[in-house]
């Protein structure tokens, strides 16, 4: 229980380092008899793959997923699904200079503190590359959700200080940043180019909307649906804040404004973000995650080496300017994992026999 | 595993409804031979107790905790500690009118959806009263932390739209809202009075600062320290957003600003909020939680009954105007529970034999 | 996670010491809308209650269970069910002489080794009295099983070296030892009287038969149904061995004898005890648990005190001659807990949509 | 949580089917900075490897383990260790005739009942081959135990009805069956040859002795050390019974005989098998596991196909005559996994600061 497993029923364990031979995930608890191919998973990995755009790292990872277990003749068997993604194009030598240096904003220092040993090559286990395993596992979760009529879609609502205005989600796919506000998207692209030129990086805010989430999903007290979503997203290395529905803005509202009235036709607003008392209300789930700028910058920084000596560090190598848009499928994957786990948990403790609710 | 247990090693299970006979908590995994009395726990409960201030509910809960197991001759035995708090002054009749009504902003509707049954009296299990169990359990966790030199302190940084300026934490205890900015505290009090007059309620933002958190605490990937903190706080019914360090503001910073430089004397800033890659850096942990306004308002609201008929609802009874300041010890308790659990987990997997870290 | 919780979905946590104020259990994960009263649970507790027979301890425990949470208007709500049993007739003074002595065969020595502290009064947490909490929780599990058509029945197949011949299970209830072989039952009673006269105690073997267990229940690899049953029963203090179906006898059979042939009408034998590869076959589950003699004997024994000094110990006080028959409802309770947990787990991961199996 | 993970702190998840591309294990929770090579693991796998003796299956599995993650420059990093064993020499065609047939004594029928789908090739996930993953993970656990001075050794005490007399454990390694009684070993070999000639298979009993287990290891109530050992061993497909110390024989003893007296020099006997009230006493742990005969026999058996039609089945292919001796390292591995997990759990909840125990 060292933190590499998530879920109660739909359990995902990831393993692998950025510059080791491979990454992978084991998914235990996937219902049997579901059709599943490597292509189903590959589709999601492609969305996360680096090297596609100017803003992304030019490293060619390949990211070909292989299913090693748990699928027989195209269908899940109910036993653990084992996925592997081989690391290719791994130039560990690039990192030799960093062996004894703590990069600011990275996990180098804290890993050394915790373990007394770290794989310094590309962040090892703390690398963003670890999220490939999550996306792969999330692709399986998504297949289950699709069967239940649930869709999960992440888009960009802020980047480098540029805020998207209220846009149409359907527009989000039309630009490579998945920003529903086309004008803001253009400004974001400008900000990215300028940051790159300056050897700097940018952060942003991702909004995830879940449609079709069944009312009743979730749990009271500690494992609230929003609590598990917050953990899942805050568990992505780049995320420094998570909010649901009105989120931090709710703190400034009076109750008479924040409460969502109930009408015979349904809820009249959605400040709750689709979750009341930790349980889904049947409205859309609306979640936002704040992503910090990528810490690997090309500008000179103050840091120390493992002996505490001061160092002026300039990081070269292949790095993205922003985690956006590559983080979008990661956020979706994390939300999918939480929803499927709660979906299966709900089946377990639903009343006997199932009847209409109200 | 229906969501009422938290922690891997230091495990807390809470039970009880607002208007049932009692509430309680079972704490399994507390190390033995620690001195523990009911007074240790009562001290924390007093901070959460209602009826002390004008802004708080006049209900006299009493909230006397009793230790039923796990302590022998004043010391913990290493076996489960069972705590009970009897519910007194319970006027269930007050709630009879709400039996068939869904109060906006409450869990009434979602509990009905999930379970097909709900204890309508005061929110039942979804009541804020459930947090008394958490505060009681947190008091035990805090005793362990104190021995390790770790302090956890929550204060109010916003209320009803009034933002506290940068204040001195030590000031926070000097006013009943625990706001480090005395001027802002006065404005918050005004806002509370006006809201009460208007039959309305207010939200706010709580900041929790942890001093003395050992570097190395936490875990990679899913169980990151910040991920577990986010879950713990988002698992408090009133919380709609959580951020660590710079939080949402980090999304607008360039990397060259957001990164905390490392100097031989230590970190030169703390935008990370004391956590890098999910593991504590040894700096102060800084966490903020956004609390929505209490949904029980005295103003008329639109809602429906269990048959879907429209209703004009005005909620009477004894209710606070804001969860602040009573939520402060709850937030502290949740943070204490997470820290102790990670502290004990770290002892389990620390290297053999323990040596200095770097 | 210090060992006082069992189950993945239907989770039971017990707490309480033999001579503390109370014992209890928290059951999280019980489906909602099931009718449940204290009488349902009391019925099972009565079967375990001491003081009913000559062979049992004359201590009057009372053992009145109270439901403190999780049941509303006679039905489960889906939230944690909290049960409490107050300890009455507790004469702690009886045990004062044992404060510094390790009783042979008891947990005194090992608790001291583990915790450095122990509640010496009646075994504290290691007391057989702790099983009252299990029986109470098991009564709720049994109610679920009954709805699914599953029955769990324990009976005595050996006591004090007297083996029961193949009997009729229906006969088992006709004598107070629940032995299906009436002649053997008489011999067992004689053995009990002689042991009591000699200041000694006796062990025995309990067989538990489950009828109506749905085929498909269980899990592969580590959480096999038989593995979980073995853990559950070996987790009862008195149990030193567990076997399924042919059990140890299977080790002496050739495969041609041990295999249960499959005929169009069903299995032609049940050496497997109803479980193949960790999953229920639809046949009766047959499980046996070997119970050691109660270690508290009235005869003089060699032991040491906490300082390692030799002591001649003769234990007085109120003690049973054998755990049989009081252990029978405990064994049933443990089996019920395992079966319900696997039943709910199976609902979680069953294929979508459910269809006929073969 | 579908049963493929074991351990609370030292968590092992296995995956893979007999005739899929590979098997593997993910070990999360191994302390960092421990030296670990593939050779450390390979040594244990060699002991389990088929094809070495006449009694074992001639299939050449190869069983070369590769470490894919969690080890850096020869040392564990504290992050998940991922192990893979590629399946070679897989002749799936051998099993085509069994696609629609339920082999008696195998998991074919119950897997079909549970999942509605099964990989019929060699048992799929239910194959004994799955235990290679356990042996690999157990090898890592053993390395930790060795550092703590704990040894785990399994030997054969019965095979095909031949019982070993009281032997010297040191002798056990001198014959290929690891039987401490050389004469019995010869008779066992004869029994094996006769069974093979008859197209039949044999069961046996394995005894596992743990030396150096620290007093205090274990937990009360549900997670007793013996309970976890029982689960671990009963979770091996072939095992139908588990006993600790005197085991089933204890059921026939009076308390005056079964109790192990405590002398200033230590315990005067070990009927308890080294565990009292679920916690290790510091004596040797003694555990026995009853293994059924391998169900794949060359003699004609009655069974049915998936449509319920009667079939006369004769199983060809490459099969062992007995799980002994190949099961010995599997039993050792399971015991190692339990002990390491409890060792790390004990470190987590040990008192602050550690002091001498009594």
């Amino acid at each position: 229980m060292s933190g590499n497993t998530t879920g109660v029923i739909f359990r995902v364990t990831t393993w692998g380092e950025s510059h080791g031979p491979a990454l992978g995930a084991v998914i235990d608890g996937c219902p049997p008899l579901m059709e599943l191919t490597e292509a189903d998973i590959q589709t999601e990995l492609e969305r996360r793959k680096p090297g596609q755009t100017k803003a992304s790292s030019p490293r060619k990872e390949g990211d070909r997923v292989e299913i090693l277990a748990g699928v027989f003749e195209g269908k899940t068997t109910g036993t653990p699904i084992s996925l592997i993604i081989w690391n290719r194009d791994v130039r560990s030598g690039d990192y030799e200079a960093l062996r004894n240096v703590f990069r600011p904003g990275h996990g180098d220092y804290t890993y050394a503190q915790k373990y007394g040993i770290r794989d310094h090559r590309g962040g090892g286990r703390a690398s963003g590359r670890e999220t490939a395993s999550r996306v792969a596992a999330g692709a399986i979760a998504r297949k289950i959700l699709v069967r239940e009529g649930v869709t999960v879609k992440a888009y960009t609502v802020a980047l480098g200080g540029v805020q998207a205005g209220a846009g149409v989600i359907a527009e989000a796919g039309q630009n490579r940043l998945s920003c529903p506000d086309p004008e803001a998207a253009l400004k974001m692209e400008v900000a990215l180019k300028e940051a790159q030129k300056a050897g700097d990086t940018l952060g942003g805010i991702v909004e995830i909307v879940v449609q079709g989430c069944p009312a009743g999903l979730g749990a009271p007290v500690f494992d609230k649906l929003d609590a598990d979503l917050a953990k899942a997203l805050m568990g992505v290395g780049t995320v420094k804040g998570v909010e649901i529905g009105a989120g931090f803005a709710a703190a400034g509202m009076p109750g008479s404004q924040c409460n969502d009235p109930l009408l015979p036709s349904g809820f009249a607003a959605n400040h709750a973000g689709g979750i009341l008392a930790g349980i889904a209300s049947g409205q859309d789930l609306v979640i936002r995650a704040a992503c910090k700028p990528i810490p690997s910058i090309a500008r000179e920084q103050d840091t120390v080496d493992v002996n505490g000596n001061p160092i002026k560090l300039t990081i070269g190598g292949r790095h993205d300017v922003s985690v956006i848009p590559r983080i979008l499928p990661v956020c979706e994957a994390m939300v999918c994992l939480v929803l499927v786990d709660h979906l299966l948990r709900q089946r377990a403790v639903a009343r006997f026999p199932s009847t209409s609710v109200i």
Side-chain angles (χ1 to χ4, degrees), chain A:
Chain A
M1 188 57 94
S2 285
N4 299 282
T5 298
T6 188
V8 173
I9 295 290
F10 190 87
R11 286 178 80 78
V12 175
T13 302
T14 71
W15 55 268
E17 289 92 36
S18 172
H19 286 62
L23 301 165
V26 180
I27 297 97
D28 195 13
C30 183
L33 287 173
M34 185 174 76
E35 292 186 3
L36 183 68
T37 66
E38 290 170 355
D40 290 328
I41 303 167
Q42 195 63 42
T43 303
E44 293 295 321
L45 284 175
E46 296 296 322
R47 296 177 57 207
R48 187 207 153 273
K49 206 163 69 172
Q52 299 172 303
T53 66
K54 284 176 191 169
S56 296
S57 148
R59 172 176 165 181
K60 303 269 180 291
E61 291 181 359
D63 278 5
R64 299 300 310 178
V65 70
E66 292 173 43
I67 299 175
L68 295 180
V71 176
F72 182 59
E73 300 183 341
K75 288 183 180 157
T76 58
T77 61
T79 58
I81 301 169
S82 177
L83 305 178
I84 194 167
I85 303 166
W86 294 98
N87 283 325
R88 300 209 169 87
D89 187 30
V90 172
R91 305 183 211 152
S92 302
D94 289 3
Y95 290 94
E96 195 53 34
L98 295 172
R99 176 182 282 270
N100 296 315
V101 176
F102 297 133
R103 295 170 299 165
H106 278 282
D108 299 351
Y109 177 76
T110 54
Y111 266 59
Q113 288 287 338
K114 182 176 189 68
Y115 298 114
I117 181 176
R118 66 184 168 103
D119 180 348
H120 63 277
R121 303 165 306 165
R125 181 77 180 139
S127 166
R129 177 144 177 73
E130 179 272 333
T131 58
S133 302
R134 308 191 195 197
V135 170
I140 300 174
R142 190 192 294 272
K143 282 210 77 167
I144 296 173
L145 293 175
V146 165
R147 292 202 295 182
E148 302 291 309
V150 184
T151 62
V152 177
K153 172 81 186 144
Y155 50 99
T156 302
V157 294
L159 201 165
V162 180
Q163 307 286 330
V168 182
I169 301 179
E171 303 270 334
Q174 313 237 338
N175 53 71
R176 74 171 192 102
L177 295 175
S178 290
C179 176
D181 173 347
E183 278 186 51
L186 292 175
K187 290 182 195 161
M188 291 170 183
E189 293 283 6
V190 172
L192 282 169
K193 267 177 209 154
E194 286 176 2
Q196 189 166 29
K197 210 177 299 174
D200 218 331
T201 56
L202 298 177
I205 300 177
V206 174
E207 183 167 294
I208 306 110
V209 174
V210 179
Q211 295 181 314
C213 180
L217 226 64
V221 186
F222 300 116
D223 290 358
K224 286 184 166 74
L225 186 58
D226 35 358
D228 275 345
L229 288 166
K231 174 169 178 172
L233 289 165
M234 198 72 98
V236 178
T238 190
V239 174
K240 297 301 284 182
V242 179
E243 58 181 9
I244 309 284
F248 275 84
M253 295 178 181
S256 56
Q257 179 190 350
C258 191
N259 284 352
D260 301 322
L262 272 155
L263 305 178
S265 56
F267 288 94
N270 191 11
H271 295 102
I275 302 177
L276 284 166
I279 299 171
S281 67
Q283 288 195 281
D284 286 357
L285 307 188
V286 181
I287 314 139
R288 272 176 303 279
C291 302
K292 70 174 186 178
I294 289 172
S296 286
I297 59 175
R299 302 175 66 169
E300 188 182 271
Q301 298 180 87
D302 282 313
T303 191
V304 295
D305 66 15
V306 296
N307 299 311
N309 299 314
I311 288 200
K312 297 289 184 187
L313 177 69
T314 305
I315 298 175
R318 306 160 294 176
H319 300 287
D320 292 351
V321 178
S322 173
V323 293
I324 291 175
R326 288 180 61 200
I327 203 68
L328 298 175
V330 178
C331 291
E332 292 180 10
M334 292 310 296
V335 170
C336 288
L337 293 180
V338 170
L339 292 178
V340 162
D341 191 44
H342 274 279
L343 190 74
L344 300 188
R345 286 167 73 170
Q346 175 63 8
R347 300 208 309 172
V349 296
R351 50 200 172 282
F352 302 87
S354 294
T355 54
S356 66
V357 173
I358 302 178

